[in-house]
Amino acid sequence: MIVFNLSCAAGHRFEGWFGSSSDYEDQQTRGMVACPHCGSADVSKAPMAPAVPAKGNQRRDARENPASEPSPMAGGQIPPEVQKAMQALAEAQAKALKESRYVGENLADEARAMHYGEKDLEAIHGRATLKEAQELLEEGVPVAPLLAPFTPPDELN
């Protein structure tokens, strides 16, 4: 895995995790990299400082500096309240998915048909490209991304 600091044309900064540099380039070329703040696909790598550790004889023990507080993520542990919130989010999403119909790649067409009264309203979920989602929003069709990872039913073992 490789982590890049990215920024969009609006100046938002965020991290992107990729399998390799070529994975980043491939996803960028296909328009799959977008700003999580504003949705802009005009994203580029932000300047990064290399992680250079201090020499062993120059490291200071954290106990020597009482002003330094351990991070809530110290040791890779997620704070219990964050774990609880993530669990509640996953449960809410699972319930919403269970009570909706999977439409796969037809999400944009199905949502648009319901919005314009061509089909009865119902809860649906599926896949849409960033461009399709933006077009739906511009037309006033209510759509929202899933917040937790989801495996489509046709891809389950």
Side-chain angles (χ1 to χ4, degrees):
M1 287 301 250
I2 188 166
V3 179
F4 290 126
N5 287 331
L6 304 173
S7 63
C8 73
H12 299 119
R13 294 179 64 90
F14 55 98
E15 279 185 356
W17 291 60
F18 302 91
S20 65
S21 292
S22 61
D23 283 349
Y24 164 78
E25 297 297 334
D26 178 55
Q27 290 182 33
Q28 179 71 359
T29 302
R30 295 188 301 155
M32 296 177 65
V33 180
C35 175
H37 303 284
C38 66
S40 170
D42 189 3
V43 173
S44 60
K45 291 181 190 174
M48 294 174 46
V52 180
K55 291 171 64 177
N57 64 354
Q58 293 180 349
R59 291 187 183 135
R60 298 188 73 176
D61 190 348
R63 289 171 284 176
E64 292 177 20
N65 186 359
S68 68
E69 289 285 323
S71 161
M73 293 292 288
Q77 297 297 317
I78 297 174
E81 56 274 4
V82 174
Q83 288 178 348
K84 186 176 178 181
M86 289 171 62
Q87 181 64 35
L89 174 65
E91 289 171 4
Q93 179 172 301
K95 181 180 179 191
L97 292 174
K98 187 176 182 179
E99 296 174 357
S100 66
R101 182 172 58 94
Y102 180 69
V103 295
E105 304 291 331
N106 298 325
L107 179 72
D109 294 335
E110 293 281 329
R112 193 173 276 118
M114 285 187 274
H115 180 73
Y116 291 111
E118 298 166 7
K119 288 192 172 189
D120 291 337
L121 289 175
E122 67 175 313
I124 60 172
H125 63 281
R127 292 183 172 174
T129 65
L130 177 61
K131 182 179 183 216
E132 289 172 328
Q134 288 173 332
E135 289 171 351
L136 288 170
L137 290 171
E138 288 170 4
E139 290 179 48
V141 180
V143 294
L146 294 175
L147 300 176
F150 165 74
T151 302
D154 55 354
E155 294 180 15
L156 293 173
N157 288 337

